[in-house]
Amino acid sequence: AQSVTQLGSHVSVSEGALVLLRCNYSSSVPPYLFWYVQYPNQGLQLLLKYTTGATLVKGINGFEAEFKKSETSFHLTKPSAHMSDAAEYFCAAIHTGRRALTFGSGTRLQVQP
Amino acid sequence: GAVVSQHPSRVICKSGTSVKIECRSLDFQATTMFWYRQFPKQSLMLMATSNEGSKATYEQGVEKDKFLINHASLTLSTLTVTSAHPEDSSFYICSARVQGDPGNTIYFGEGSWLTVV
């Protein structure tokens, strides 16, 4: 089955520390991959996406993600966490033959002062 | 940038009544829009794919007669929850695919909180 898995429902880092949020997909054909952020009681904002081309994708707010086909992964990173990064992060994919996004279960990022 | 607008952002309705939620793409055309439901502290579950000028495609387990979707124009899709019950209370989010974008860019609305009392 085509799915998206996010390891770790909660991640806590200190302000200024590296942020690493994990995402793996399961499909024989690599899907289009996305990371979205959701602040409380709000919709989703696109951080970045991978469709084709360069496997290291840079997004907004200093985030980036690297597509690794051999590991079926698309982990999200940010070198230095800021308090304003605290939110829910969703990894999502558009699998071959589908038009809609399939979402992972989400990871809540907490940033400690 | 592209913006998707949802209205209302919050609505309270009585059990047994119907409520309509609108999803508009403000500065782009969207032949395809999607409706999701999100329970507190959970992920987004796709309810249906809304197709401009044709019938919506519903996901398995979603009652099409209860969740009516209309996509009358390239910028507007509506979700009507009919005969609402308290268990329909949830956060509903729409999204829209930018027409003709090979990068599959999809933008989300701000969501609508529905409370059925």
Side-chain angles (χ1 to χ4, degrees), chain A residues 28-107:
Chain A
S28 56
V29 178
Y32 295 146
L33 294 159
F34 305 77
W35 275 99
Y36 285 88
V37 61
Q38 184 180 35
Y39 295 99
N41 301 316
Q42 295 186 25
L44 276 70
Q45 181 181 11
L46 178 66
L47 282 176
L48 48 81
K49 64 178 180 179
Y50 170 78
T51 53
T52 59
T55 56
L56 181 62
V57 181
K58 294 186 183 300
I60 62 172
N61 301 339
F63 285 94
E64 62 182 37
E66 185 172 11
F67 168 67
K68 291 187 177 181
K69 184 178 178 179
S70 60
E71 299 178 6
T72 62
S73 69
F74 190 57
H75 302 331
L76 182 70
T77 60
K78 182 174 181 177
S80 176
H82 192 272
M83 296 297 289
S84 61
D85 294 327
E88 187 85 19
Y89 290 81
F90 291 98
C91 182
I94 297 178
H95 289 96
T96 301
R98 294 274 294 173
R99 290 181 294 166
L101 288 160
T102 300
F103 283 88
S105 55
T107 298

Side-chain angles (χ1 to χ4, degrees), chain B residues 1-2 5-6 9 13 17 25 30 34 38 43 45 54 56 58 71 77 89 95-96 101 105 107 109-110 115:
Chain B
S5 173
Q6 260 184 262
S9 58
C13 70
T17 63
S25 57
F34 307 92
Q38 185 181 31
S43 188
M45 300 300 297
S54 64
Y58 289 82
H71 195 153
S77 175
S89 299
S95 65
D101 178 13
T105 302
Y107 292 100
E110 290 297 306
T115 302

Side-chain angles (χ1 to χ4, degrees), chain B residues 6-114:
Chain B
Q6 260 184 262
H7 178 80
S9 58
R10 290 181 179 272
V11 59
I12 300 173
C13 70
K14 292 185 177 181
S15 186
T17 63
S18 296
V19 61
K20 180 185 288 186
I21 301 171
E22 293 186 348
C23 179
R24 294 180 184 272
S25 57
L26 297 185
D27 56 1
F28 65 95
Q29 293 185 328
T31 53
T32 307
M33 292 185 173
F34 307 92
W35 287 95
Y36 291 84
R37 185 173 180 176
Q38 185 181 31
F39 291 103
K41 301 186 186 303
Q42 294 188 26
S43 188
L44 283 76
M45 300 300 297
L46 179 66
M47 298 175 66
T49 300
S50 173
N51 307 297
E52 187 269 335
S54 64
K55 292 182 178 180
T57 305
Y58 289 82
E59 295 299 297
Q60 190 173 7
V62 178
E63 299 177 60
K64 58 183 67 176
D65 293 332
K66 180 168 187 62
F67 298 99
L68 300 178
I69 291 173
N70 182 274
H71 195 153
S73 77
L74 287 172
T75 59
L76 174 64
S77 175
T78 60
L79 168 68
T80 301
V81 183
T82 63
S83 187
H85 291 283
E87 57 265 31
D88 298 325
S89 299
S90 187
F91 191 51
Y92 293 88
I93 307 177
C94 75
S95 65
R97 165 177 277 173
V98 180
Q99 184 185 27
D101 178 13
N104 288 285
T105 302
I106 296 176
Y107 292 100
F108 282 79
E110 290 297 306
S112 300
W113 278 106
L114 170 62

